[in-house]
Amino acid sequence: MANNNNNYHTRRGPPTASPPGIQFSNSRDFDSDIGSSLEFATYTVHIPPTPDNQPMEISMDSAQSSPPFIPINRNPSTYMSNSMYRRQNSGAMTTMNHLPSSVVVSGGGGGENRCQVPGCDATAMTDDRGDSVYPCDCEFRICSDCFKDAEGVCPGCKSSYRGGGDYGSAQLDRTLTTMKNPRMFDSTDSDFLFEDSKKDYGYGNAAWSSDGNNEDGGGGGGGDPNLLVDKQRKPLTRTVSIPATILGPYRLLIVIRMVALAMFIEWRVTNPNEDAIWLWGMSVVCELWFSFSWLLDQLPKLCPVKRVVDLEVLKEKFETPSPTNPAGKSDLPGVDIFVSTADPEKEPPLTTANTILSILAADYPVEKLSCYVSDDGGALLTFEAMAEAASFARLWVPFCRKHNIEPRNPESYFNLKTDPYKNKVRADFVRDRRRVKREYDEFKVCINGLPESIRRRSDAYNTHEEIKAMKKVKEMGDDENFERIKVTKATWMADGTHWTGTWTTPGPEHTRGDHASIIQVMLQPPSNELMKGPGSDGNSMDLSDVDMRLPMLVYVSREKRPGYDHNKKAGAMNVLVRASAIMSNGPFILNLDCDHYIYNSEAIREGMCFMMDAGGDRLSYVQFPQRFEGIDPSDRYANQNTVFFDVNMRALDGIQGPVYVGTGCMFRRTALYGFDPPEAEKYGKKSSKKSASANAAPTFDSAPDQSSQSSYGMEDMDDESMNIALIPKKFGNSSMLVDSIRVAAYQGLPLADHPSIKNGRPPGALLAPRPPLTPGTIAEAVNVISCWYEDKTEWGVNVGWIYGSVTEDVVTGFRMHERGWRSVYCVTKRDAFRGTAPINLTDRLHQVLRWATGSVEIFFSRNNALLAGRRLKFLQRIAYLNVGIYPFTSIFLIVYCFLPALSLFANKFIVNSLDVNFLSYLLVITITLTMLAVLEIKWSGIALEEWWRNEQFWLIGGTSAHLAAVLQGLLKVVAGIEISFTLTSKSAADEDDEYAELYLIKWTSLMIPPCVIIIVNIVAIAVGFSRTIYSAIPQWNNLIGGAFFSFWVLVHMYPFAKGLMGRRGKTPTIVFVWSGLISICISLLWVAINPPAGQNQIGGSFQLP
């Protein structure tokens, strides 16, 4: 290790035998030359205490205890401290750890650290840590006396010292004689070395003054002396790198496979098969595309990382009593949780209600949590289900808090197959659980009976209205119109009023695409003070030690009118962004699908660790992995997507961050508003001053006022960028919405509790209660969810969720990364969220079709990664480019799946022969791919079966849904034909069988290409085998090559074929086996009846044994 000051080369040496202790050295270049003629005196030194991060250990009370006395003799092993002490006018001492490492002479220790000069057995020079010091590059050990006698010539290499730099012998001599000359200390700088009295070192983390006075008049002596230690910055998160023993070979294999692919393509191009040039040409084109596609997929995987959080530090920083927060209230920012649903028939209300209950019971400060449910269908069924859930939450949430229940979704909790009484220590747990279970069963019956209840109620009210109308007509004596009376079949609420949303029997202004806006606060904002529940009366739960408050719950159904483009899910999410900004304005937003519930009650806290850590102000969102329940044990159709969530997403986390995948994502509200991250100019993309100011994040010098009329934090900008007329163009004409932007930006900043936090808020800034909801606030929220509010604004263009694609999630995340924001991937030890996925083959293909269609839309739009700005990192750009390109692989994949069959039919192959070169390249490419897969499995933690299922469904989806997506995308771009959105069903077909949906066969045109591929390849194998054994000159190379690749295709198609078989027992497997055997027999019979010309012997010269 090279010293920056003396340029000596050092290495670790053996410990020296020095007094217990304390080593002193001094490498200062003194202004005057110090003589060495004076005698060295024996004296006693008081060693002052130093903090833990200094060379010596102390305790905080060392200043009050008697310091040890250490005699120092005229032994050359004398040491001096690495700090400078200066006496102040007040008599206190201060310490400056400023000096560079120094060279000292070790006395008496380590037989191995001896001078190498012949005849000298003195101890060689060491530094203050005991490491050997080498004045020359040849690493010749030498003592101080021999160093001075050498006069600049190294005794080891017999040349001038190399590596010693400017550290000349005169300077070294002065350093070595520092402790030998008492004249070097004046009366003000060295008195402390000879005193026995206790010293007052002032105030700092080295020592704290015991008199409580500050002689400098700054008032800094008061307070707790441990405050400095407690306030040392503790990171909330840390990055765990992948071991180099795995990552190094992984990267090396990527390079090897790239080279092998390049050599293989070069060999294939230069060695065409003249006998089947059409086969050769198609195969080479396909292989070129596959190599390019593999490169796009593999390059972003070069930098995978893992991250962990520390929840204890989060609690210590934000919820521990302190001088600014004596009551220990939470200083965490608010979180608004969005839950979206659209159709109660495909998304059962019971599923949505359980998701809401898991949110209300989350382990996060109650007063900082708000839940918004978006019902895009405007159904009364969903509305009343949410009302029932709010009522049941008053029992379920306290039960979860009292007994620390996990998971906090009642349906999942009561269906756990593990022992529910494990680790439960409270004596009343069994009684409480039975009571809650009984109440939940009644709650389920109520929810499931809501459709019938609403129908009966509506029929009764409609009949009553019809009778009233008939009576009115009869009283008027209008008998002619008596039989023409028709009462609109309205849908009625329980309070006897018309439902303002969608009616069961559609009526004017009450259809799915034409209804009024609705906002209903079902749970009021909680108090800022803790509210304990009542004690037990023998029949009820004892809630005397449980917080009874519940988070705010709001039902929202946006206005829909004919003639407006409501932009599907993205439009619904933007409505929630605006409504929540008016009502609660949480600086962070967590969005969940209605079937994704909180499985880990601390998931929100874990995501907040990233947002509140140093540098968290540059994070746009925290993406959690998606985990699913109800998947068949073999995961036949790769519904878990573990390769994507545990391999690709972890790899992107090491670049600029994972992509946004639609659910389980915590956003920074200001990032959704289209602002740039702080200090965005450091990440590239130099823009004009005006445009940069318009997109800059809000700035502030103090806490903003909720009611202040500021232009969303732009008061520090130039007058040119403060054009108030531009605000409605971007955010709309709601002044309350505009005022909330600056407040949300301020509250979302990390805690400025350490100098390293450059852009933060002071501790205790978020302790005040939120403003109460007023009728004016609700009215403004209703105003911003109207269908006309977004007209002539930037909502959906640059603000909020981005419109124009069925995969609005990917586009929204891409825009944030393009502006320079980062994102992180939070993989919790216990799954953060869990949801349901379609296990039926048809639903799974339709789901993949929607994703692939969105990718094609992205490729043909301005959101193509090739058009992104300079702030998007190179590897991140490649990852987004692959998102838009991967569906086009289906074209080449289908051709390649038919090539083996065509080869067998034509008795040709893609190469002239199976020579050594072709087989060698094929072997290397296959082995490297397998080894890459093994290493990915090792650093990601997925199972080999999961990786293989992903490979199988890649081929199935590539030959079906991806091809249809490309065709739909081209139709939209060329002909302008809009793509329909198919909502994935969340319900099962048979409640008695958990996997009943897996065996349903629902025919779809997407199944045609895979079926054709399977049939053609089976027949081709039979024809090729028959032709070969009947041929006079059998072409075994062509048969083996074609049959091998056909078998490769069929193995990948096995889950698809198994799905077509349906449930075992309903369609016997033997039927399909016999079908295959019969087709082979027919092929053989046809060849036997009509053999090749001039041949009547099977196999020609080949004889069967």
Side-chain angles (χ1 to χ4, degrees), residues 598-616:
I598 298 180
Y599 186 75
N600 180 356
S601 62
E602 294 184 328
I604 303 176
R605 290 179 175 270
E606 298 206 24
M608 197 59 64
C609 286
F610 292 100
M611 293 295 190
M612 294 291 102
D613 204 6

PDB file of all heavy atoms in Angstrom, residues 598-616:
ATOM      1  N   ILE A 598     -51.792  -7.878   0.488  1.00  0.00           N
ATOM      2  CA  ILE A 598     -50.548  -7.730   1.251  1.00  0.00           C
ATOM      3  C   ILE A 598     -50.317  -9.003   2.048  1.00  0.00           C
ATOM      4  O   ILE A 598     -51.049  -9.305   2.998  1.00  0.00           O
ATOM      5  CB  ILE A 598     -50.613  -6.500   2.166  1.00  0.00           C
ATOM      6  CG1 ILE A 598     -50.763  -5.221   1.331  1.00  0.00           C
ATOM      7  CG2 ILE A 598     -49.373  -6.413   3.043  1.00  0.00           C
ATOM      8  CD1 ILE A 598     -50.842  -3.957   2.148  1.00  0.00           C
ATOM      9  N   TYR A 599     -49.311  -9.750   1.665  1.00  0.00           N
ATOM     10  CA  TYR A 599     -48.976 -11.006   2.341  1.00  0.00           C
ATOM     11  C   TYR A 599     -48.016 -10.778   3.499  1.00  0.00           C
ATOM     12  O   TYR A 599     -48.019 -11.528   4.471  1.00  0.00           O
ATOM     13  CB  TYR A 599     -48.363 -11.980   1.328  1.00  0.00           C
ATOM     14  CG  TYR A 599     -48.102 -13.359   1.861  1.00  0.00           C
ATOM     15  CD1 TYR A 599     -49.156 -14.246   2.053  1.00  0.00           C
ATOM     16  CD2 TYR A 599     -46.819 -13.789   2.169  1.00  0.00           C
ATOM     17  CE1 TYR A 599     -48.928 -15.528   2.538  1.00  0.00           C
ATOM     18  CE2 TYR A 599     -46.582 -15.066   2.646  1.00  0.00           C
ATOM     19  CZ  TYR A 599     -47.644 -15.932   2.831  1.00  0.00           C
ATOM     20  OH  TYR A 599     -47.417 -17.198   3.315  1.00  0.00           O
ATOM     21  N   ASN A 600     -47.204  -9.753   3.398  1.00  0.00           N
ATOM     22  CA  ASN A 600     -46.252  -9.378   4.451  1.00  0.00           C
ATOM     23  C   ASN A 600     -46.684  -8.017   4.980  1.00  0.00           C
ATOM     24  O   ASN A 600     -46.600  -7.016   4.275  1.00  0.00           O
ATOM     25  CB  ASN A 600     -44.837  -9.328   3.877  1.00  0.00           C
ATOM     26  CG  ASN A 600     -43.794  -8.957   4.915  1.00  0.00           C
ATOM     27  OD1 ASN A 600     -44.110  -8.663   6.063  1.00  0.00           O
ATOM     28  ND2 ASN A 600     -42.530  -8.952   4.512  1.00  0.00           N
ATOM     29  N   SER A 601     -47.135  -7.967   6.211  1.00  0.00           N
ATOM     30  CA  SER A 601     -47.691  -6.721   6.752  1.00  0.00           C
ATOM     31  C   SER A 601     -46.655  -5.608   6.839  1.00  0.00           C
ATOM     32  O   SER A 601     -47.012  -4.438   6.938  1.00  0.00           O
ATOM     33  CB  SER A 601     -48.292  -6.972   8.133  1.00  0.00           C
ATOM     34  OG  SER A 601     -47.303  -7.418   9.051  1.00  0.00           O
ATOM     35  N   GLU A 602     -45.368  -5.943   6.785  1.00  0.00           N
ATOM     36  CA  GLU A 602     -44.312  -4.929   6.855  1.00  0.00           C
ATOM     37  C   GLU A 602     -43.776  -4.565   5.480  1.00  0.00           C
ATOM     38  O   GLU A 602     -42.744  -3.899   5.369  1.00  0.00           O
ATOM     39  CB  GLU A 602     -43.165  -5.424   7.735  1.00  0.00           C
ATOM     40  CG  GLU A 602     -43.538  -5.599   9.200  1.00  0.00           C
ATOM     41  CD  GLU A 602     -42.359  -5.994  10.060  1.00  0.00           C
ATOM     42  OE1 GLU A 602     -41.456  -6.696   9.529  1.00  0.00           O
ATOM     43  OE2 GLU A 602     -42.315  -5.624  11.238  1.00  0.00           O
ATOM     44  N   ALA A 603     -44.463  -4.984   4.433  1.00  0.00           N
ATOM     45  CA  ALA A 603     -43.967  -4.729   3.078  1.00  0.00           C
ATOM     46  C   ALA A 603     -43.851  -3.230   2.797  1.00  0.00           C
ATOM     47  O   ALA A 603     -42.896  -2.782   2.149  1.00  0.00           O
ATOM     48  CB  ALA A 603     -44.885  -5.396   2.056  1.00  0.00           C
ATOM     49  N   ILE A 604     -44.817  -2.439   3.260  1.00  0.00           N
ATOM     50  CA  ILE A 604     -44.770  -0.995   3.004  1.00  0.00           C
ATOM     51  C   ILE A 604     -43.557  -0.392   3.693  1.00  0.00           C
ATOM     52  O   ILE A 604     -42.879   0.488   3.133  1.00  0.00           O
ATOM     53  CB  ILE A 604     -46.070  -0.333   3.475  1.00  0.00           C
ATOM     54  CG1 ILE A 604     -47.275  -0.968   2.779  1.00  0.00           C
ATOM     55  CG2 ILE A 604     -46.045   1.168   3.208  1.00  0.00           C
ATOM     56  CD1 ILE A 604     -48.607  -0.443   3.265  1.00  0.00           C
ATOM     57  N   ARG A 605     -43.259  -0.835   4.885  1.00  0.00           N
ATOM     58  CA  ARG A 605     -42.078  -0.333   5.591  1.00  0.00           C
ATOM     59  C   ARG A 605     -40.790  -0.694   4.838  1.00  0.00           C
ATOM     60  O   ARG A 605     -39.859   0.130   4.771  1.00  0.00           O
ATOM     61  CB  ARG A 605     -42.018  -0.908   7.005  1.00  0.00           C
ATOM     62  CG  ARG A 605     -43.094  -0.369   7.940  1.00  0.00           C
ATOM     63  CD  ARG A 605     -42.982  -1.005   9.322  1.00  0.00           C
ATOM     64  NE  ARG A 605     -43.926  -0.431  10.263  1.00  0.00           N
ATOM     65  CZ  ARG A 605     -43.683   0.622  11.031  1.00  0.00           C
ATOM     66  NH1 ARG A 605     -42.497   1.212  10.964  1.00  0.00           N
ATOM     67  NH2 ARG A 605     -44.591   1.070  11.856  1.00  0.00           N
ATOM     68  N   GLU A 606     -40.740  -1.893   4.294  1.00  0.00           N
ATOM     69  CA  GLU A 606     -39.529  -2.292   3.572  1.00  0.00           C
ATOM     70  C   GLU A 606     -39.343  -1.440   2.328  1.00  0.00           C
ATOM     71  O   GLU A 606     -38.229  -1.053   1.984  1.00  0.00           O
ATOM     72  CB  GLU A 606     -39.608  -3.773   3.221  1.00  0.00           C
ATOM     73  CG  GLU A 606     -39.674  -4.681   4.441  1.00  0.00           C
ATOM     74  CD  GLU A 606     -39.138  -6.072   4.171  1.00  0.00           C
ATOM     75  OE1 GLU A 606     -38.326  -6.222   3.247  1.00  0.00           O
ATOM     76  OE2 GLU A 606     -39.514  -7.011   4.909  1.00  0.00           O
ATOM     77  N   GLY A 607     -40.431  -1.145   1.627  1.00  0.00           N
ATOM     78  CA  GLY A 607     -40.308  -0.241   0.487  1.00  0.00           C
ATOM     79  C   GLY A 607     -39.918   1.153   0.901  1.00  0.00           C
ATOM     80  O   GLY A 607     -39.151   1.833   0.204  1.00  0.00           O
ATOM     81  N   MET A 608     -40.400   1.597   2.060  1.00  0.00           N
ATOM     82  CA  MET A 608     -40.075   2.941   2.531  1.00  0.00           C
ATOM     83  C   MET A 608     -38.602   3.062   2.912  1.00  0.00           C
ATOM     84  O   MET A 608     -38.039   4.173   2.884  1.00  0.00           O
ATOM     85  CB  MET A 608     -40.969   3.285   3.721  1.00  0.00           C
ATOM     86  CG  MET A 608     -41.026   4.769   4.057  1.00  0.00           C
ATOM     87  SD  MET A 608     -41.620   5.779   2.700  1.00  0.00           S
ATOM     88  CE  MET A 608     -43.288   5.157   2.527  1.00  0.00           C
ATOM     89  N   CYS A 609     -37.973   1.959   3.282  1.00  0.00           N
ATOM     90  CA  CYS A 609     -36.541   2.013   3.606  1.00  0.00           C
ATOM     91  C   CYS A 609     -35.737   2.533   2.412  1.00  0.00           C
ATOM     92  O   CYS A 609     -34.785   3.305   2.586  1.00  0.00           O
ATOM     93  CB  CYS A 609     -36.046   0.626   4.014  1.00  0.00           C
ATOM     94  SG  CYS A 609     -36.569   0.084   5.650  1.00  0.00           S
ATOM     95  N   PHE A 610     -36.099   2.128   1.210  1.00  0.00           N
ATOM     96  CA  PHE A 610     -35.383   2.605   0.029  1.00  0.00           C
ATOM     97  C   PHE A 610     -35.675   4.075  -0.239  1.00  0.00           C
ATOM     98  O   PHE A 610     -34.766   4.838  -0.585  1.00  0.00           O
ATOM     99  CB  PHE A 610     -35.784   1.765  -1.189  1.00  0.00           C
ATOM    100  CG  PHE A 610     -35.322   0.346  -1.138  1.00  0.00           C
ATOM    101  CD1 PHE A 610     -36.191  -0.668  -0.762  1.00  0.00           C
ATOM    102  CD2 PHE A 610     -34.015   0.014  -1.447  1.00  0.00           C
ATOM    103  CE1 PHE A 610     -35.767  -1.987  -0.709  1.00  0.00           C
ATOM    104  CE2 PHE A 610     -33.578  -1.297  -1.396  1.00  0.00           C
ATOM    105  CZ  PHE A 610     -34.462  -2.300  -1.025  1.00  0.00           C
ATOM    106  N   MET A 611     -36.922   4.478  -0.078  1.00  0.00           N
ATOM    107  CA  MET A 611     -37.286   5.864  -0.364  1.00  0.00           C
ATOM    108  C   MET A 611     -36.667   6.837   0.643  1.00  0.00           C
ATOM    109  O   MET A 611     -36.351   7.978   0.297  1.00  0.00           O
ATOM    110  CB  MET A 611     -38.802   6.013  -0.349  1.00  0.00           C
ATOM    111  CG  MET A 611     -39.507   5.290  -1.476  1.00  0.00           C
ATOM    112  SD  MET A 611     -39.070   5.993  -3.085  1.00  0.00           S
ATOM    113  CE  MET A 611     -40.271   5.167  -4.143  1.00  0.00           C
ATOM    114  N   MET A 612     -36.500   6.412   1.896  1.00  0.00           N
ATOM    115  CA  MET A 612     -36.002   7.288   2.948  1.00  0.00           C
ATOM    116  C   MET A 612     -34.502   7.177   3.171  1.00  0.00           C
ATOM    117  O   MET A 612     -33.946   7.896   3.994  1.00  0.00           O
ATOM    118  CB  MET A 612     -36.723   6.985   4.260  1.00  0.00           C
ATOM    119  CG  MET A 612     -38.201   7.315   4.256  1.00  0.00           C
ATOM    120  SD  MET A 612     -38.536   9.101   4.200  1.00  0.00           S
ATOM    121  CE  MET A 612     -38.966   9.303   2.456  1.00  0.00           C
ATOM    122  N   ASP A 613     -33.828   6.311   2.449  1.00  0.00           N
ATOM    123  CA  ASP A 613     -32.388   6.165   2.609  1.00  0.00           C
ATOM    124  C   ASP A 613     -31.666   7.271   1.848  1.00  0.00           C
ATOM    125  O   ASP A 613     -32.271   8.006   1.047  1.00  0.00           O
ATOM    126  CB  ASP A 613     -31.945   4.794   2.106  1.00  0.00           C
ATOM    127  CG  ASP A 613     -30.647   4.335   2.744  1.00  0.00           C
ATOM    128  OD1 ASP A 613     -30.166   5.035   3.654  1.00  0.00           O
ATOM    129  OD2 ASP A 613     -30.117   3.285   2.364  1.00  0.00           O
ATOM    130  N   ALA A 614     -30.385   7.392   2.072  1.00  0.00           N
ATOM    131  CA  ALA A 614     -29.585   8.384   1.347  1.00  0.00           C
ATOM    132  C   ALA A 614     -29.671   8.111  -0.145  1.00  0.00           C
ATOM    133  O   ALA A 614     -29.471   6.988  -0.593  1.00  0.00           O
ATOM    134  CB  ALA A 614     -28.127   8.333   1.817  1.00  0.00           C
ATOM    135  N   GLY A 615     -29.969   9.140  -0.911  1.00  0.00           N
ATOM    136  CA  GLY A 615     -30.154   8.987  -2.341  1.00  0.00           C
ATOM    137  C   GLY A 615     -31.547   8.540  -2.728  1.00  0.00           C
ATOM    138  O   GLY A 615     -31.838   8.376  -3.920  1.00  0.00           O
ATOM    139  N   GLY A 616     -32.423   8.341  -1.747  1.00  0.00           N
ATOM    140  CA  GLY A 616     -33.775   7.908  -2.050  1.00  0.00           C
ATOM    141  C   GLY A 616     -34.592   8.947  -2.782  1.00  0.00           C
ATOM    142  O   GLY A 616     -35.606   8.610  -3.406  1.00  0.00           O
TER     143      GLY A 616
END
